[in-house]
Structures are given as structure tokens and as C-alpha cells.
Amino acid sequence: LPLLQALPMTSGVLDLACGSGRNGLLLARQQIPVTFADINADALAAVKAQLNTEGLSGVCWQVDLERAGTDVLGGKIFDAIIVFNYLHRELLPALKLAIKPGGLIFYETFTIAQRKFGRPSHPDFLLQPEELSLCFNDWELLHNCEDQLREPDRAVAQIIARKPLQG
């Protein structure tokens, strides 16, 4: 949270594939502007209801992030993007472009080691070793970890990276 609060917010944070919006709602409660993006209209309606209940502001954006042949993030710029438990490899280059110079990405999702814990188990949804950090190796890596976490048991890769000011 301190990293986000230190950013000069001009474009806000994108909570990508937000689901119930848990992570973005935490930011909205800190008066950080959030765009909640997901394909699930019911989940977004629940996020909107929570925003209204708590008197918070936020934008809900229903979008199919995996629609073939489209650049769903084209022309959009954010101060930061947060992504948890979601992987669509074809979207990674667009994510990098959608973050302003000096902005941040917070990304955590499952690795191939997740198979021993259960779902997800399909390789399309599981990172190979170091895959996430290699994708952002031209950025300043502030945090980089691949580990097995508990409660619930899961195998994940995590990064926090800052986009270079020039490049």
C-alpha cells in the first residue's frame, strides 16, 4: 500500500480480472481511484453494490480480457495494475504498455507447482519457473518471489515491478 500511496495518482489503478474486487476495494478504502475490470457482470454488480454501501468511488468495467483479435487495453493508461490469480499470457505485453512510466505492477498467480494442491491445473493458467519475472526483467523488480504459501495451500509467483521512466 505505501508504494501505491507514494505514486502521483493521475490515472488510478486497474484491478484486472477483479472477481469479487477484494483487492481493489482495499485500495478504494484508502481513497485510491480504482477501475474494476472483469467479464462477470454479477461479480461487478456486487463490487458496485459494495462501493455504494461504503460510499466509495470506483469504476466497474465489464470486459472480455481474452477476446481474440482485440486490444482491450489499447489506449488505456494506469498508474498501476494489480493482478491476482489470473493469467492470460497474450495480455502481458498490453499490460506493460498500459502502465505509465514510473508506474507499478503487482502480480501474483499460480505456478506449475500448483498442480500438487489442485486447481488450477491446466498449463495455460500456470506459470513456468521464473516466467513472470522474465516477462518484467526490463523493469525495476521491487519484489520477486516464487514460493508455496499456506492457508490456503498454493504455489505462486509474485512480483512488484516499476516501469522505467524512459525506455
Side-chain angles (χ1 to χ4, degrees), residues 43-165:
L44 288 172
V47 169
K48 188 67 169 170
Q50 189 67 37
L51 290 168
N52 290 338
T53 297
E54 295 186 41
L56 303 171
S57 61
V59 174
C60 291
W61 177 31
Q62 185 178 3
V63 59
D64 181 353
L65 298 165
E66 300 177 19
R67 190 175 46 217
T70 61
D71 183 9
V72 295
L73 294 175
K76 298 193 182 303
I77 297 291
F78 297 94
D79 299 301
I81 296 178
I82 61 173
V83 186
F84 291 89
N85 303 330
Y86 176 75
L87 178 62
H88 183 60
R89 287 175 176 87
E90 291 80 10
L91 197 57
L92 289 169
L95 288 178
K96 292 177 78 172
L97 290 173
I99 296 173
K100 73 176 188 180
L104 299 168
I105 187 151
F106 296 76
Y107 207 128
E108 177 183 302
T109 198
F110 302 101
T111 66
I112 198 81
Q114 174 65 21
R115 286 180 170 166
K116 67 180 160 191
F117 299 117
R119 296 181 60 189
S121 60
H122 193 284
D124 285 352
F125 308 122
L126 302 172
L127 291 165
Q128 295 298 316
E130 300 300 317
E131 182 179 357
L132 190 57
S133 61
L134 286 172
C135 180
F136 289 90
N137 68 354
D138 54 338
W139 289 31
E140 177 188 1
L141 288 178
L142 305 173
H143 172 77
N144 179 26
C145 176
E146 289 190 15
D147 207 353
Q148 295 181 16
L149 305 177
R150 302 190 61 73
E151 298 178 26
D153 288 340
R154 63 203 186 278
V156 297
Q158 306 169 331
I159 64 161
I160 301 172
R162 184 183 318 276
K163 186 173 184 171
L165 290 173

Side-chain angles (χ1 to χ4, degrees), residues 5-78:
Q5 291 171 325
L7 279 179
M9 283 288 163
T10 57
S11 308
V13 175
L14 173 63
D15 185 353
L16 190 82
C18 67
S20 68
R22 179 178 53 133
N23 299 299
L25 286 167
L26 174 73
L27 301 179
R29 290 181 187 114
Q30 302 300 315
Q31 282 68 57
I32 295 173
V34 179
T35 298
F36 298 85
D38 204 285
I39 194 172
N40 186 320
D42 293 336
L44 288 172
V47 169
K48 188 67 169 170
Q50 189 67 37
L51 290 168
N52 290 338
T53 297
E54 295 186 41
L56 303 171
S57 61
V59 174
C60 291
W61 177 31
Q62 185 178 3
V63 59
D64 181 353
L65 298 165
E66 300 177 19
R67 190 175 46 217
T70 61
D71 183 9
V72 295
L73 294 175
K76 298 193 182 303
I77 297 291
F78 297 94

